[in-house]
């Protein structure tokens, strides 16, 4: 009989994070992963020519935002993040380009000035006001939701004069209009915000997205890649688990959480797993890293939940965070046309393209909500030229590029199944569109491969609608209501059962949901007080900035 | 050993052992030595461990890009020694091992000799008896002589022959050792073309010319392996992963994405290795699992390489051919044309050859740079459903193939040739067509070499299997017991006894030698004596 203190269901990065913290805290821990390898939405795969390492999923690693690198000493377990000076780029057809800096807000300021001096001053005022509170703001994202925390946060935000007092009634476009006049700048920031909250036109959530984009552009959410590809992150988490005596069992899909007298006792494995239908027991806790609906409706079972929870879960909204992926191997970096006005654009690792105006974005959102792929392509889901930072991700002389576009999961014509027949065409459109911003791109392509939302779902059936972040972070299923009212996440109505996904804030490489789950489980089990479990957000990032630039990191703008 | 910041790993105090290459042998070795108390550093050029134990996810369906068939499955000594069963490694061994499809009907061979005899008797009663006689002899010889030989250091030929003469299977082995694969099956008088075809394909595909004399024992071993083969549940990578996880928990350190450029030797004694980025790792012992020509000619300074080593590296014969592989994900479940009971559960489907003549023609064609669309097809998800996404079936096709084509490049030809191979599969089913395909991946011989730099010219076995490169002579008389003439430098891997194939025997055997040399605790009970 296999028995552990803690069972973690699902070896995605947040599941690995909980397991790493608890194993390091001395609990006997096992991670049960359905696939043959951990990482799920943070992986690196060689899907064609050997040596061309594709990052299909998490590509902008923002792990330095949080405390996990230092708490878990991930660099002792092989983590090698690679950063650079330039952050997000968005070129426009008129040859101008929005470009922000990875850590120097002054340089970002100067980039914005090229569009509008007035808007740059507005940006400066906002950033300098908000960033006084950036540490407590970040802290909020690494603490379990509670009414006290929410109130504290609300009071803090209301004290910031630069934040409009009615911002909870504003959407992303409203915030952009409030700060800027130049439409291209509004476009760039709203586009950045879509990576965080999918609908800029939604009140509150849309505003949160754009706020996030604004602080991000002052270096707070700097994106890194990792040596060899994104898989380096889950690999280092796995190494941490293993080195601390934890066990990882791949090909061990869980089909049931065993519940007795309202308490989670363990799990049962699938008949197709490595240990067919075996039961594994947990003395102290079971943590599910699957998303809300599969966790509660499939693994737990409706009979253990109250009617309201079941209703909410059955209607849990997974829309809005569905990405179509096109991966490229090329002979060259992307030679942006905009380089004529600013050669630094060639150094960018992370880019958007295709949205020329806020109208374009509104139309794009509308398309996505109505089952259509925007034509011409609006690529604001995030795109990356990895080899700009790390040459090891492709053979010498070659480059890998991942581009994401926001799409509906269910296509107007044919539903989700239509993706198999449609994806090649969408891939061609993506190539065409990038070529418009970088003439010669198409010729530099050695191979291109589409990976549709249906492919993503087949690869990870817990990601309903191929949602990449655990579920739409919209009002009604956000903060205390995530994933359902009364859940008390990361705790659940079932004793000893916790969740590390579909939890505040959203699942990403900052590892916040895993961290929050770990903190709460550890508190409940009396193992939270560890000498090493004491780091703050941005700790590692500050050290990196010092090494990279020779200066101390500062999120404030001092020029202009 | 405490984990250390990646930037300091190489500057740490001396390791006991540096192992070059995290393939199956390197991983096995790392485990045995770590448990024996050694401070081990494993250096791997790729970013992924496992070498040929490689599984990749394609939209939820798993493609095993290199090793798929595990000849000895859970019977390998490291499996029990290392408790791999608890680390997530389990095998699935289907009873139906190989089905040869011809003209809408089929003939299946099983793990169980009696069941196979029954199956063959449907087409030829005399052949069923002959086959049974042959397999009995093979089973005895494998158990009595060959498996122990695989899992121990090899003896010089005189001693080996002397020991052999005392074994029950001795005479049998001496007789067939001189034969070619064709001569072996003729020796037993097998007449049925389908049966002869199946045995030749199973035994020769991995690198034996059917007409090559002095390869009877290798043929017999491959045949045995392919009639008792398993899959690793979940994908071949799970075997590597079980080794990796245990080693990390045991304190092994690892560097991935790190290439060794030199083995440092000073005054005839190993000092450690140097990486291509200039970093040095100090160690008392260095084990190279990289192919022998590279080890002897690139990693070591010429002055330290003995005459026998130099000669063996310069004269090293590589495999006669490579393999072309193609993978598909199709929607739904295939239905075979053949009405043979249980055919869909067979591990291997041999299709595309109309008879032995076709196979022989494909071999000569391969020498001329012309691949032939016929070979072995496996459907892992029909045996192990975890390997395909819901509602899908995953397939892998393998065929002997020239590394270089006579009149095209693989880049230009691979997809077309994969289509031809797909047509072979389609042809033996009722329902598999182009429109069934949801994903396809052609993997030519050039990809084998690009992926595993050890696999020169797409080598499967780390070198040809010939008398001059077998046993005591593999790779050379002074290195086949894993020590080299250089103190502290060892070799292990496919180019060293006992050769290729997933047996973990190289790592297993080398562990004993190295543990003794370094005065480490031999915590396991070596299963066989040389």
């Amino acid at each position: 009989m296999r028995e552990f203190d803690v069972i973690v269901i699902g070896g995605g990065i947040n599941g690995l994070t909980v397991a790493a913290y608890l194993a390091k805290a001395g609990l006997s821990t096992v991670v049960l992963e359905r696939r043959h390898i951990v990482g799920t939405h943070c992986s690196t795969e060689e899907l064609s020519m050997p040596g061309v390492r594709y990052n299909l999923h998490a590509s902008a690693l923002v792990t330095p935002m949080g405390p996990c690198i230092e708490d878990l000493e991930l660099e002792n377990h092989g983590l090698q993040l690679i950063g650079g000076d330039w952050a997000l780029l968005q070129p426009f057809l008129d040859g101008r380009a929005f470009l922000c800096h990875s850590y120097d807000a002054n340089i970002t300021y100067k980039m914005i000035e090229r569009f509008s001096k007035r808007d740059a001053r507005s940006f400066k005022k906002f950033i300098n006001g908000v960033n006084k509170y950036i540490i407590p703001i970040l802290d909020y994202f690494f603490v379990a939701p509670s009414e006290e925390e929410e109130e504290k946060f609300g009071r803090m935000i209301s004290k910031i004069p630069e934040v409009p007092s009615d911002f909870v009634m504003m959407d992303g476009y409203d915030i952009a209009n409030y700060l800027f006049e130049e439409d291209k700048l509004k476009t760039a920031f709203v586009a950045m915000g879509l990576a965080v909250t999918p609908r800029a036109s939604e009140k509150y959530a849309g505003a949160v997205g754009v706020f996030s984009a604004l602080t991000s552009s002052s270096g707070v959410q700097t994106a890194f890649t990792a040596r060899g590809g994104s898989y380096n992150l889950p690999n280092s988490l796995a190494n941490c688990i293993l080195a601390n005596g934890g066990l990882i069992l791949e090909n061990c899909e869980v089909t049931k959480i065993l519940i007795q007298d309202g308490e989670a006792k363990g799990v049962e494995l699938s008949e197709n797993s490595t240990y067919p239908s075996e039961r594994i027991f947990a003395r102290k806790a079971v943590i599910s890293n699957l998303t809300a609906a599969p966790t509660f409706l499939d693994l737990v079972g409706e009979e253990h939940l109250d009617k309201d929870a079941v209703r909410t879960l059955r209607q849990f909204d997974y829309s809005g965070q569905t990405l179509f992926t096109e991966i490229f191997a090329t002979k060259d970096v992307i030679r942006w046309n905009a380089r004529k006005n600013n050669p630094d654009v060639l150094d960018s690792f992370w880019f958007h393209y295709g949205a020329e105006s806020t109208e374009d974005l509104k139309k794009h959102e509308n398309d996505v909500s109505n089952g259509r792929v925007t034509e011409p392509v609006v690529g604001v889901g995030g795109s990356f030229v990895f080899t700009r930072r790390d040459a090891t991700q492709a053979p010498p002389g070659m480059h890998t590029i991942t581009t994401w576009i926001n799409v509906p999961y269910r296509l107007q014509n044919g539903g989700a199944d239509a993706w198999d027949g449609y994806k090649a065409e969408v891939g061609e459109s993506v190539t065409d569109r990038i070529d418009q911003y970088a003439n010669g791109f198409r010729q530099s392509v050695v191979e291109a491969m589409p990976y549709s939302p249906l492919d993503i779902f087949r690869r990870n059936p817990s990601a309903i609608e191929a949602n990449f972040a655990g579920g739409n972070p919209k009002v009604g299923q956000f903060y205390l209501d995530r994933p359902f009212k009364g859940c008390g996440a990361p705790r659940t109505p079932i004793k000893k059962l916790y969740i590390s996904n579909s939890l505040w804030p959203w699942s990403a490489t900052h590892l916040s949901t895993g961290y929050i789950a770990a903190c709460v489980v550890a508190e409940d089990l009396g193992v939270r007080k560890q000498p090493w479990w004491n780091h703050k957000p941005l700790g590692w990032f500050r050290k990196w900035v010092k090494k990279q630039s020779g200066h101390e990191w500062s999120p404030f703008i001092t020029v202009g | 050993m405490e984990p250390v910041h990646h930037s300091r790993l190489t500057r740490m105090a001396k390791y006991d052992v540096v192992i070059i290459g995290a393939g199956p042998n390197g991983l096995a070795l790392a485990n045995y030595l770590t448990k024996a108390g050694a401070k081990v550093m494993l250096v791997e050029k790729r970013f992924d461990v496992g070498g040929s134990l490689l599984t990749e996810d394609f939209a939820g369906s798993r493609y095993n890009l290199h090793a798929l068939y595990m000849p000895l499955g859970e019977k390998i000594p490291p499996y029990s020694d290392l408790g791999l069963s608890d680390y997530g490694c389990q095998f699935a061994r289907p009873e139906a091992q190989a089905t040869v499809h011809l003209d809408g009907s089929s003939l299946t061979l099983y793990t169980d000799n009696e069941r196979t005899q029954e199956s063959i008797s449907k087409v030829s009663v005399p052949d069923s008896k002959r086959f049974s006689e042959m397999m009995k002899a093979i089973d005895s010889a494998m158990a009595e002589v060959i498996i122990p030989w695989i899992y121990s250091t090899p003896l010089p030929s005189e001693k080996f022959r002397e020991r052999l003469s005392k074994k029950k299977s001795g005479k049998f082995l001496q007789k067939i050792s001189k034969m070619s694969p064709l001569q072996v099956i003729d020796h037993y008088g097998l007449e049925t073309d389908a049966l002869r075809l199946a045995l030749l394909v199973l035994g020769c595909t991995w690198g034996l010319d059917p007409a090559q004399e002095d390869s009877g024992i290798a043929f017999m071993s491959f045949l045995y392996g392919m009639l008792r083969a398993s899959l690793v549940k979940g994908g071949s990578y799970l075997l590597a992963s079980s080794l990796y996880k245990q080693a990390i928990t045991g304190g092994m350190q690892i560097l991935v994405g790190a290439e060794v450029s030199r083995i440092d030797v000073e005054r005839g004694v190993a000092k450690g290795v140097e990486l291509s980025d200039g970093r040095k790792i100090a160690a008392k012992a260095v084990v190279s699992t990289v192919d022998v020509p590279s080890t002897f000619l690139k990693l070591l300074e010429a002055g330290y390489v003995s005459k026998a080593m130099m000669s063996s590296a310069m004269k090293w014969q590589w495999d006669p051919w490579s393999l072309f592989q193609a993978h598909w994900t199709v929607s739904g479940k295939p239905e075979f044309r053949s009405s043979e009971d249980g055919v869909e559960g067979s591990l291997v489907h041999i299709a595309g050859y109309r008879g032995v003549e076709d196979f022989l023609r494909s071999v000569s064609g391969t020498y001329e740079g012309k691949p032939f669309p016929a070979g072995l097809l496996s459907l892992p998800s029909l045996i192990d459903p975890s390997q395909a996404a819901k509602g899908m079936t995953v397939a892998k096709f393998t065929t002997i193939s020239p590394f270089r084509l006579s009149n095209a490049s693989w880049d230009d030809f691979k997809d077309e040739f994969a289509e031809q191979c797909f047509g072979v599969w389609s042809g033996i089913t009722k329902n598999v067509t182009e429109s069934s395909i949801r994903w396809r991946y052609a993997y030519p011989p050039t990809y084998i070499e690009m992926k595993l730099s050890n696999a020169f010219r797409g080598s499967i076995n780390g070198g040809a299997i010939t008398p001059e490169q077998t046993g005591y002579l593999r790779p050379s008389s002074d290195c086949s017991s894993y020590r080299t003439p250089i103190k502290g430098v060892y070799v292990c891997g496919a180019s060293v006894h006992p050769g290729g194939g997933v047996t973990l025997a190289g790592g297993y055997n080398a562990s004993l030698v190295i543990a003794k040399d370094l005065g480490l605790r031999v915590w396991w009970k070596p299963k066989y004596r040389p």
Side-chain angles (χ1 to χ4, degrees):
Chain A
M1 188 188 68
R2 290 170 212 276
E3 198 181 54
F4 299 84
D5 285 335
V6 175
I7 294 174
V8 176
I9 305 170
I13 48 178
N14 283 290
L16 292 175
T17 298
V18 194
Y21 272 95
L22 298 180
K24 195 172 175 181
L27 297 175
S28 77
T29 306
V30 66
V31 177
L32 300 170
E33 165 57 40
R34 182 186 60 84
R35 296 193 323 135
H36 67 290
I37 194 168
V38 295
T40 317
H41 283 178
C42 190
S43 67
T44 307
E45 285 147 283
E46 294 186 9
L47 300 179
S48 57
M49 205 183 317
V52 176
R53 296 179 64 71
Y54 288 123
N55 300 302
L56 284 180
H57 299 272
S59 296
L61 307 180
V62 296
T63 322
M65 262 178 83
C68 301
I69 298 174
E70 293 184 307
D71 280 346
L72 298 173
E73 300 172 283
L74 291 179
E75 290 178 304
N76 291 2
H77 298 288
L79 182 69
Q80 287 188 251
L81 293 179
I82 301 176
D85 283 352
W86 294 107
L88 190 64
L89 163 74
Q90 182 166 353
F92 297 105
L93 289 173
D94 63 10
R96 291 187 289 171
F98 172 82
L99 179 62
C100 37
H101 199 267
S102 291
Y103 50 86
D104 190 332
N106 284 330
I107 298 180
T108 300
Y109 173 88
K110 294 202 190 110
M111 292 291 124
I112 294 174
E113 252 195 341
R114 291 184 187 208
F115 286 88
S116 157
K117 285 199 161 69
R118 180 255 170 225
D119 284 357
R121 285 193 298 271
S122 174
F123 175 74
K124 174 179 174 179
K125 184 158 180 280
F126 180 82
I127 287 299
N128 286 352
V130 171
N131 280 355
K132 287 198 199 86
Y133 300 87
I134 197 62
I135 298 298
I137 287 173
L138 275 179
D139 279 342
Y140 185 59
F141 286 86
F142 286 91
V143 166
S146 71
E147 279 172 12
E148 298 80 31
E149 285 293 325
E150 193 176 35
E151 237 177 277
K152 200 171 82 181
F153 185 73
R155 265 183 276 126
M156 177 178 68
I157 296 295
S158 66
K159 277 203 228 118
I160 308 176
E162 291 78 11
V163 175
S165 51
D166 56 346
F167 87 91
V168 296
M169 299 300 296
M170 297 168 84
D171 67 25
Y173 299 101
D174 294 332
I175 298 289
N177 289 334
Y178 173 80
L179 288 170
F180 304 123
E181 278 179 355
E182 167 61 61
D183 194 63
K184 291 277 193 279
L185 287 174
K186 295 182 202 177
T187 305
F189 281 107
V190 172
M192 273 174 82
L194 288 174
V196 171
T197 57
R199 292 198 184 94
S201 52
E202 226 173 74
K203 300 213 183 301
Y204 182 56
V208 169
V210 177
F211 275 137
S212 173
L214 290 160
T215 54
S216 185
S217 64
S218 63
V220 169
Q221 265 189 92
T222 295
F224 291 74
T225 184
R227 189 164 182 273
S230 304
Y231 179 68
N232 179 248
L233 175 59
N235 191 46
S236 69
L237 287 164
N239 287 341
C240 180
I241 293 166
L242 297 168
N244 282 290
L247 181 59
I248 296 170
L249 293 175
E250 304 97 329
N251 200 51
C252 281
E253 179 182 13
V254 170
T255 48
K256 213 161 101 163
I257 295 172
L258 305 169
I259 298 170
Q260 200 180 63
D261 303 323
E263 189 173 289
K265 294 283 187 212
V267 300
E268 187 172 296
L269 299 182
S270 149
E271 62 184 354
N272 294 327
S273 76
T274 289
Y275 306 106
S277 306
E278 227 177 87
R279 296 187 155 194
I280 302 182
F281 295 93
R283 289 177 213 111
K284 303 194 177 161
V286 175
I287 300 147
S288 174
N289 196 50
L290 302 195
T291 69
T295 295
F296 291 102
L297 301 177
D298 297 336
L299 300 194
V300 170
E302 294 182 14
E303 66 273 23
H304 295 285
L305 303 162
D306 73 47
K307 281 199 322 255
D308 290 326
V310 171
R311 195 182 318 122
T312 306
L313 289 161
R314 283 212 194 125
Q315 296 167 345
F316 194 71
D317 187 354
Y318 281 95
S319 73
Q321 290 168 319
T322 303
L323 296 172
F324 174 93
T325 311
E326 183 76 9
I327 45 186
F328 296 96
T330 63
K331 287 184 286 212
D332 197 2
V333 291
I334 305 185
R335 302 247 159 228
W336 301 106
N337 298 343
R339 70 190 186 279
K340 300 187 192 97
N341 297 322
N342 182 358
D344 287 326
V345 302
L346 294 180
D347 276 343
S348 92
F349 148 67
W350 185 9
F351 65 94
H352 285 153
Y353 61 93
E356 290 288 314
S357 64
T358 48
E359 279 314 302
D360 279 353
L361 289 177
K362 287 185 182 148
K363 176 181 175 294
H364 175 53
E365 258 189 71
N366 192 266
D367 284 335
V368 174
S369 300
N370 288 290
R372 293 185 300 268
V373 176
T374 304
E375 278 284 354
V377 167
V378 166
V380 296
S383 301
F384 311 87
V385 186
F386 298 96
T387 37
R388 230 35 206 120
R389 294 275 174 86
D390 177 23
T392 69
Q393 297 188 32
M398 288 184 63
H399 297 271
T400 60
I401 296 167
T402 296
T403 84
W404 293 327
I405 61 175
N406 296 29
V407 294
Y409 183 70
R410 276 176 215 95
L411 293 163
Q412 204 174 50
N413 294 325
D417 287 334
W419 276 113
D420 284 338
Y422 185 43
K423 61 183 180 175
E425 190 184 318
V426 175
E428 284 298 307
S429 296
V430 167
T431 308
D432 281 342
R433 191 61 165 158
I434 297 177
D435 200 81
Q436 286 181 328
Y437 290 87
N439 300 140
F441 174 71
R442 188 177 262 289
Q443 272 147 284
S444 75
V445 173
V446 173
E447 75 182 9
M449 193 185 298
Y451 211 95
S452 76
L454 183 57
D455 293 327
I456 292 171
F457 173 69
R458 283 175 181 141
R459 186 177 173 286
N460 175 17
S462 171
I464 315 282
E465 296 190 38
N467 187 296
F468 64 81
N472 192 339
K474 68 175 193 189
V475 171
Q477 52 184 64
F478 207 32
Y479 204 63
L480 282 163
D481 295 337
R482 191 169 180 82
F484 58 87
K485 227 193 199 96
C487 180
R491 298 184 185 93
T492 69
I494 316 285
K495 274 181 267 178
K496 294 192 180 167
L497 178 64
Y498 301 80
I499 56 173
S500 54
N501 197 346
S502 298
L503 163 71
W504 162 261
W506 57 84
S507 309
T509 58
H510 43 53
L511 307 182
S512 169
T513 61
Y515 177 78
I516 288 174
C519 288
V520 169
V521 174
E523 259 161 51
D524 287 354
L525 300 182
V527 298
R528 174 62 179 88
K529 285 192 171 44
Q530 304 288 338
W532 47 267
W533 195 333
N534 62 351
H535 295 89
K536 304 280 286 156
L538 294 182
W540 183 92
F541 177 67
R542 283 192 219 253
K543 296 192 183 105
W544 176 80
V545 172
K546 185 74 189 279
K547 252 189 281 166
Q548 179 84 352
S549 70
H551 306 299
E552 293 293 336
W553 176 65
S554 158
F556 300 110
I557 298 166
T558 54
V559 297
Chain B
M1 252 182 78
E2 277 302 304
V4 158
H5 194 285
H6 63 80
S7 66
R8 285 177 36 226
L9 270 179
T10 54
R11 283 181 265 140
M12 277 194 63
K14 224 179 187 177
Y15 289 90
D16 291 318
V17 189
V18 169
I19 301 170
I20 307 172
N25 285 303
L27 286 169
L29 186 56
N31 267 295
Y32 276 94
L33 296 180
T34 302
K35 279 174 109 104
K39 252 162 68 169
V40 175
M41 163 62 95
L42 183 57
V43 184
E44 168 56 48
K45 181 176 171 184
R46 293 171 53 216
F47 285 100
D48 305 303
V49 301
S52 63
L53 295 171
L54 203 168
T55 306
E56 197 72 82
D57 186 335
F58 288 79
S61 291
R62 299 178 201 168
Y63 294 179
N64 296 289
L65 302 183
H66 296 267
L68 177 62
Y69 310 111
M70 304 292 135
L72 298 169
E74 74 287 357
K75 303 200 182 110
I76 60 177
Y79 187 73
S80 47
D81 283 348
L82 298 172
L84 297 182
S85 170
D86 288 337
Y87 280 87
C89 178
Q90 298 282 326
F91 295 91
R93 181 182 289 112
E95 275 186 40
Q97 288 279 298
T99 300
V100 56
H101 295 257
L102 278 173
D103 305 321
S105 68
S106 64
L107 169 66
T108 299
L109 308 177
Y110 299 84
T111 51
D112 178 61
N113 288 343
E114 268 171 40
R115 203 164 163 200
T116 305
Q117 195 176 343
E118 206 186 296
S119 173
I120 299 172
S121 65
K122 293 192 196 131
V123 290
S124 161
V125 171
D127 264 3
S128 74
K129 294 201 178 93
R130 293 160 185 155
F131 174 85
S132 180
E133 195 193 321
M134 183 185 80
M135 277 321 290
K136 273 204 191 87
I138 290 177
D139 280 338
S140 297
M142 288 299 294
E144 194 191 21
V145 179
I146 303 300
I147 291 173
W149 173 81
I150 289 172
Y151 288 101
S152 52
T153 53
L155 295 168
S157 43
E158 266 133 55
K159 260 215 162 126
F160 178 72
R161 260 181 268 132
E162 189 205 310
R163 294 264 172 99
L164 190 60
S165 62
K166 299 195 185 117
K167 305 273 182 184
K168 283 195 212 124
S169 309
K171 275 219 179 85
F172 164 72
L173 285 169
Q174 267 156 0
K175 199 169 37 179
I176 70 161
S177 70
K178 300 188 179 36
M179 295 181 186
S180 70
L182 274 166
Q183 285 168 341
V184 172
I185 62 180
D186 282 340
H187 176 74
Y188 282 92
L190 298 168
E191 290 171 337
T192 313
D193 201 48
L195 177 58
R196 288 167 63 87
L197 172 64
L199 299 179
L200 287 175
V201 170
L202 294 173
C204 297
T205 293
W206 316 108
L208 293 181
D209 188 313
Q212 175 189 336
E213 291 187 339
D214 296 317
S215 58
I217 295 182
F219 174 66
M220 173 200 82
S221 306
F222 278 132
L223 194 54
Y224 174 89
M226 289 304 290
L227 289 175
R228 280 108 182 79
S230 313
L231 299 178
V232 181
K233 281 178 80 168
S236 304
Y237 174 71
L238 282 252
L239 170 53
S241 181
S242 69
L243 290 163
Y244 176 79
K245 290 179 298 195
Q246 188 172 170
I248 296 282
T249 300
M252 171 191 83
Q253 303 291 345
I254 182 165
L255 276 175
V256 294
E259 183 178 4
V260 171
S261 58
R262 259 167 47 104
I263 297 173
D264 275 334
V265 179
E266 229 173 87
R267 287 193 280 264
V269 176
K271 287 280 169 258
V273 299
E274 187 175 321
L275 305 181
S276 57
D277 60 16
R279 289 182 290 170
K280 287 185 192 255
I281 307 175
K284 293 184 198 149
V286 177
V287 187
S288 171
T289 69
V290 165
D291 68 282
V292 142
S294 297
T295 303
F296 292 173
L297 302 177
K298 289 201 203 126
L299 299 184
L300 288 167
E301 259 176 58
Y304 289 115
V305 174
S306 71
K307 261 183 45 195
M309 289 160 83
M310 182 66 82
S311 166
S312 123
M314 301 285 287
K315 290 199 267 184
W316 192 253
Q317 275 179 76
W318 285 98
D319 307 35
W321 55 68
S322 180
L323 299 174
F324 178 89
Q325 298 164 100
H327 305 257
W328 303 283
T329 304
V330 299
S331 172
K333 228 178 146 186
E335 283 167 43
F336 288 94
R337 281 188 198 278
S338 159
S339 53
E340 195 183 5
D341 205 24
V343 68
E344 64 283 339
S346 192
L347 178 59
V348 168
H349 298 271
I350 297 166
Y353 304 109
R354 290 163 302 177
V356 171
E357 277 313 302
D358 265 358
F359 181 64
L360 298 178
R361 222 174 279 129
S362 78
V363 169
S364 21
T366 295
Y367 292 138
E368 289 160 23
K370 299 188 176 83
F372 190 93
L376 295 87
L377 173 84
S378 284
L379 305 168
S381 58
L382 295 188
I383 292 154
D384 173 17
S386 70
Q387 296 207 36
K390 191 159 160 216
M392 303 287 163
T393 297
V394 77
K396 175 174 180 170
F397 192 92
T398 303
T399 187
I400 66 174
S401 172
F403 181 71
R404 235 178 268 294
L405 295 165
S406 64
N407 61 354
S409 75
W410 274 115
D411 278 345
D412 292 335
F413 186 58
K414 64 181 167 70
D415 292 329
E416 189 186 318
F417 187 63
E419 277 308 295
Q420 292 176 22
C421 297
F422 181 78
V424 166
W425 179 24
S426 179
I428 60 173
T429 67
K430 293 184 192 148
N431 62 344
V432 175
T433 64
E434 267 297 311
S435 61
S436 321
I437 302 177
R438 293 292 171 270
W439 206 289
R440 66 188 90 210
Y441 185 31
Y443 205 83
T446 43
Y447 280 11
I448 297 176
E449 190 187 64
M450 286 166 76
K451 184 79 90 179
L452 307 174
S453 59
N454 226 359
F456 182 68
R457 294 177 59 81
S459 159
I460 308 305
N461 289 304
I465 303 163
T466 62
E468 309 81 53
Q469 296 185 179
T470 294
Y472 191 70
L473 299 178
R474 191 177 184 96
S476 59
S477 55
D478 56 356
C479 296
S480 55
S481 297
Y482 313 98
R483 292 184 188 96
T484 67
I486 310 160
K487 184 167 195 275
V489 176
Y490 300 83
V491 287
C492 159
S495 315
V496 183
H497 174 76
V502 181
T503 59
L504 273 48
Y508 177 77
N509 296 341
S511 299
L512 189 56
V513 168
I514 298 169
K516 287 193 181 141
D517 285 358
L518 296 182
L520 300 166
R521 187 175 64 94
V522 176
W523 55 268
W524 67 101
K525 188 160 176 282
K527 196 157 180 201
Y528 303 105
R529 292 178 170 288

